[in-house]
Amino acid sequence: MPVFSTPRLSIHPWDPHLDDPAKRYVLKQAIRPMLSDAAMRYLPSTLALGSGPDPLEDWVVARQAAASVSVIQQQDLTIGLLFLFLPPAAEEGSPIHLGYLLAEQVWGQGLGSELVAGLIAHLEPGPLCDLQAGVDINNHASARILKKSGFVRAPEFCADALDVYVRSVGSMLSPAEAEI
């Protein structure tokens, strides 16, 4: 899972937060307001909170099982989550699926663009891989962020109300070849 920073953001794996009960509690309290109706409106229904005895804990466990998740922080404030995952039956060379969730209070500040650009810059020196992001057709802000970061709409992957954007990052060269 990537550890990187941008001028305003610090991105690091959430696992150390989840491994410590006190930190897990603090992280869950930061996540709860991020799962507002407005924030969840354009996300897949599989990301919705359930209705069990502890739906937030169930949500965290499900995300932990499905993806590599990183915490997005601005200074010391947790403002979002970054998700990178491969579908369960992915073959070698399959695209890495990208998703993110930002707290409503930071919308409109360019942090989504900064996050995606930072991720790409972090992955660029590594091996060649494809990133893929699905966006609800009504989520124009997320589509703009992806386009600004060099993603292109891939009609062959799009479905009813979902546009899919793809972008290759990295190099086909080995690290030694890239230095020459």
Side-chain angles (χ1 to χ4, degrees):
M1 192 61 213
V3 173
F4 63 95
S5 60
T6 69
R8 298 181 290 171
L9 303 173
S10 170
I11 296 86
H12 55 275
W14 76 344
D15 294 327
H17 297 273
L18 299 180
D19 294 342
D20 177 292
K23 289 180 181 178
R24 185 182 194 99
Y25 176 81
V26 170
L27 179 62
K28 285 171 51 177
Q29 296 313 303
I31 292 170
R32 183 176 299 284
M34 288 183 219
L35 303 178
S36 68
D37 290 342
M40 301 302 288
R41 174 180 36 201
Y42 297 125
L43 297 180
S45 60
T46 55
L47 290 179
L49 281 175
S51 59
D54 190 349
L56 187 55
E57 178 64 21
D58 295 343
W59 189 90
V60 167
V61 169
R63 301 296 71 74
Q64 191 174 23
S68 292
V69 183
S70 288
V71 174
I72 304 166
Q73 291 186 309
Q74 186 177 33
Q75 296 170 346
D76 288 331
L77 181 65
T78 298
I79 61 158
L81 299 171
L82 170 67
F83 308 95
L84 296 175
F85 62 97
L86 288 169
E91 297 176 13
E92 179 146 349
S94 293
I96 298 168
H97 293 249
L98 160 67
Y100 57 89
L101 177 64
L102 292 173
E104 282 183 75
Q105 73 261 24
V106 300
W107 291 359
Q109 298 177 25
L111 295 175
S113 294
E114 188 172 323
L115 170 69
V116 175
L119 174 65
I120 290 168
H122 176 73
L123 295 175
E124 201 61 55
L128 185 64
C129 67
D130 291 326
L131 294 175
Q132 188 176 73
V135 178
D136 185 287
I137 60 171
N138 296 307
N139 191 346
H140 306 295
S142 283
R144 271 193 309 277
I145 288 168
L146 294 170
K147 290 176 192 175
K148 190 180 343 181
S149 297
F151 283 76
V152 293
R153 187 174 175 274
E156 66 273 23
F157 298 121
C158 296
D160 300 328
L162 182 73
D163 279 341
V164 175
Y165 293 84
V166 298
R167 186 186 196 288
S168 293
V169 294
S171 171
M172 291 178 54
L173 301 175
S174 72
E177 293 172 316
E179 291 179 9
I180 298 175

